[in-house]
Structure formats: C-alpha cells, structure tokens
Amino acid sequence: MQIDKLRGKQLDQFFDAILSLKDREECYKFFDDIATMSEIHSIAQRLQVAKMLTEGHTYNIIEKETNASTATISRVRRCINFGSDGYKLVLDRIMDDDE
C-alpha cells in the first residue's frame, strides 16, 4: 500500500479522529475545519468517479457528470484495478445502505 509510507502516530491519530465521528453532521463540522473546500471536493469527486466506474459508465459520461479530468478518472480506475480495495470496501457498504 502506498499509504504505508505515511503510516505512524500522526496518521493513526487522524484516522482515529475520523472513526470517532458519530454522524454526517459531525463529519461536516470536522472536515469544514480540517480541509479546504477544494480538498473535500476532490475527495468526494473521486468517490463519485469510483462509483460510476464500478457501475460501468464511460469516461465521457463520468467527465460530464462529475467534472473530473480524464487524468483523475484514470487514476481512480488504476486504484480500483490495482489498489488496496479501499474503494470497493466503502462502495459495497454505502451501496448496501442505499438498498
């Protein structure tokens, strides 16, 4: 995993902070303070791209609906195909919640 390079007390504390959040409103408050609007938008956009890729949408459709660049779409595609299955883990859970 790429993130192993950052593994340590600081990142553990960050992840523990995220895991301590109890609901969506707490997430809004925390991320409003900790990240820029651009950072939050980029992360949310990547998740939407991943969702659309797993649903079989084309790059053109994804680009139009998310305003993501083809470079971003390609990077997300690589993570889905060769990454740590983080997108799959989360998407499986949120898709189950939608049903």
Side-chain angles (χ1 to χ4, degrees), residues 18 31 43 45 51-52 61 74-75 82 92 97 99:
I18 292 171
F31 280 92
I43 292 167
Q45 181 186 61
K51 182 177 183 289
M52 292 180 75
I61 298 293
S74 293
R75 183 183 184 289
F82 306 109
D92 284 351
D97 289 348
E99 293 174 0

Side-chain angles (χ1 to χ4, degrees), residues 30-40 43:
F30 178 68
F31 280 92
D32 189 41
D33 286 346
I34 202 162
T36 65
M37 294 300 104
S38 178
E39 290 165 336
I40 295 166
I43 292 167

